[in-house]
Amino acid sequence: MVCIGVVLNIKFYENDRLDIDMNYNEELVAAFMEAVSNAFLSLKKMHNEHFYYYAFIFDAGLHPYLSAWSYEALEKSMVDNKITDEEKGWWKWDYSDSPYAIYGYEEYFQEVSELLDQREDSISSDELYDIEWDIRVDSMEEAMKRLDQSGLFGSGEERNRVVINVEI
């Protein structure tokens, strides 16, 4: 990774794409796409269920991870956790309570983790929680957009039954 410029105390790297709409990094997008694709394909293969929600999560840990819900996992989870009728509406979308939260992280996100650590090592914490945060989130959004366009989440009616999301 090579820093190619500093403007207003913000470092720009070789593959950073900065404009008004999206600030993503092609190297991050490619790494995210590979990890997400492999993890989701594994999830679908290992769990023959009807998935309705795929989420790529970014939190204060600064390393993104996956979560997903299927109707089968949701039903079991609501019974196991004694979810009331009033709670069902939000439980359906709560990525952290899904049995598939952080799915495939150890197997598929090693390259992503190393790449993000390398980027962190070369910037200040102020930069990390400012422009770098935006670049990571925008790169996640771009990766999910491209994976959706590739048909990873289905096509036609199958795709219409699935919500994909990048969450912070």
Side-chain angles (χ1 to χ4, degrees):
M1 175 176 4
V2 178
C3 180
I4 59 171
V6 178
V7 178
L8 300 174
N9 252 353
I10 300 170
K11 294 180 183 176
F12 296 93
Y13 296 91
E14 277 181 272
N15 295 315
D16 287 351
R17 179 186 171 278
L18 301 171
D19 66 25
I20 293 173
D21 298 324
M22 293 283 286
N23 301 320
Y24 62 83
N25 174 281
E26 283 295 340
E27 187 177 19
L28 286 177
V29 170
F32 290 160
M33 286 178 67
E34 182 176 346
V36 169
S37 178
N38 288 335
F40 280 141
L41 290 172
S42 171
L43 177 65
K44 289 163 66 170
K45 181 180 178 183
M46 298 300 294
H47 302 276
N48 187 19
E49 299 175 9
H50 299 91
F51 288 91
Y52 65 86
Y53 179 63
Y54 298 107
F56 198 16
I57 311 300
F58 188 68
D59 63 18
L62 299 174
H63 286 236
Y65 56 90
L66 300 178
S67 187
W69 274 110
S70 69
Y71 291 107
E72 296 84 353
L74 176 65
E75 188 63 34
K76 182 178 183 329
S77 178
M78 287 192 300
V79 169
D80 291 350
N81 291 286
K82 298 176 176 62
I83 301 303
T84 66
D85 287 340
E86 295 82 35
E87 297 170 317
K88 286 181 180 180
W90 63 264
W91 191 266
K92 179 179 182 177
W93 305 109
D94 187 358
Y95 66 84
S96 64
D97 287 312
S98 168
Y100 304 124
I102 314 175
Y103 184 87
Y105 190 82
E106 294 295 323
E107 299 89 346
Y108 305 111
F109 282 81
Q110 188 61 40
E111 179 185 338
V112 167
S113 184
E114 290 171 6
L115 182 58
L116 294 174
D117 287 345
Q118 288 172 1
R119 290 177 67 93
E120 282 177 38
D121 289 344
S122 64
I123 59 178
S124 72
S125 61
D126 287 342
E127 292 168 316
L128 181 60
Y129 287 98
D130 187 26
I131 189 71
E132 180 66 12
W133 177 282
D134 292 339
I135 289 171
R136 291 180 186 197
V137 171
D138 288 351
S139 296
M140 291 169 64
E141 290 175 352
E142 183 65 19
M144 291 295 276
K145 177 179 135 187
R146 292 179 191 180
L147 289 171
D148 187 29
Q149 291 169 342
S150 78
L152 179 69
F153 306 108
S155 61
E157 279 306 307
E158 178 188 13
R159 173 60 184 91
N160 289 338
R161 291 188 297 265
V162 176
V163 172
I164 63 170
N165 196 20
V166 169
E167 285 194 37
I168 300 173

